[in-house]
Amino acid sequence: MAPDVQSSFITIARIARTRGNRGEVLADLYTDFPDRFSQLREVWLVSNEGTQRKQMILEETWKHKGRIVLKFAGVDSISDAEPFAGFWVEIPAEQAMPLPEGSYFDHDLVGCAVEDLSGNRIGIVSEVLHFAGESQLVVKNQNRESLVPAVEKICVKISIKEKQIVIDPPEGLLDLDK
């Protein structure tokens, strides 16, 4: 699970391991825009615990078997690169790619209040899950969690500005707990 999104950064990758002997690292992509790496000059690396944050200059990047290889300036050996395994790769939020109308970043949805058409509070979005090509909002209310499919038919109004999502849940949806 990615560290809590800070208001000024977004996560675009996570370093899995070293690769090669020149200090490169292999990273899993956490972006729908992998081509962005060719345009980046600097990124921020954040430890899994969020206790370390370091700005890094990218020298080279290239795709490799569904992942991205990153070569940072000053990281020139396997031993230089090893400490970064497990680190998250972030960029300033203002560098986020524009999304099509009706699309949202996961971090924009987290923290939104969810209510039904009658104005009954359902809970707060705590995370967004993706599996089998579908997205689900994890909505928490006290000790209960509900999964709400993130589809237009159910999420009838999303206002990121107001941090609010109005849903029209099918019968029984909210009776199912995670």
Side-chain angles (χ1 to χ4, degrees):
M1 183 81 203
D4 289 338
V5 175
Q6 296 182 4
S7 60
S8 58
F9 289 91
I10 59 170
T11 300
I12 59 171
R14 184 168 190 202
I15 298 173
R17 61 177 174 82
T18 60
R19 186 217 175 265
N21 59 5
R22 295 186 318 123
E24 302 105 346
V25 295
L26 187 64
D28 295 313
L29 294 167
Y30 280 76
T31 178
D32 290 333
F33 307 99
D35 292 336
R36 76 168 53 240
F37 285 93
S38 64
Q39 301 164 13
L40 290 174
R41 169 120 172 90
E42 59 187 30
V43 296
W44 291 85
L45 300 186
V46 181
S47 65
N48 195 42
E49 309 80 29
T51 56
Q52 297 177 52
R53 175 176 286 276
K54 183 174 175 101
Q55 187 176 20
M56 302 294 284
I57 303 298
L58 283 169
E59 285 184 348
E60 289 182 80
T61 67
W62 65 93
K63 295 176 191 172
H64 180 70
K65 297 182 181 180
R67 290 175 156 176
I68 191 88
V69 178
L70 306 172
K71 171 66 177 87
F72 301 113
V75 179
D76 298 316
S77 68
I78 293 171
S79 60
D80 290 346
E82 283 175 340
F84 297 117
F87 274 55
W88 297 94
V89 180
E90 296 184 343
I91 59 171
E94 61 268 11
Q95 292 179 8
M97 302 296 277
L99 294 177
E101 181 76 24
S103 296
Y104 307 94
F105 290 109
D106 291 357
H107 66 267
D108 288 333
L109 299 172
V110 172
C112 285
V114 179
E115 60 183 48
D116 65 18
L117 293 171
S118 301
N120 298 315
R121 185 180 169 95
I122 308 301
I124 302 287
V125 177
S126 64
E127 68 180 301
V128 180
L129 303 176
H130 303 279
F131 50 90
E134 300 294 326
S135 297
Q136 301 276 327
L137 305 176
V138 178
V139 180
K140 288 188 177 184
N141 186 354
Q142 295 173 2
N143 295 330
R144 179 184 168 137
E145 287 185 347
S146 299
L147 290 178
V148 175
V151 296
E152 266 185 78
K153 188 175 181 179
I154 295 173
C155 298
V156 295
K157 178 186 173 208
I158 298 176
S159 174
I160 299 304
K161 191 175 194 174
E162 296 171 12
K163 295 299 278 182
Q164 179 188 44
I165 300 173
V166 177
I167 65 170
D168 184 9
E171 188 174 330
L173 176 70
L174 299 176
D175 297 332
L176 304 173
D177 289 334
K178 180 178 171 199

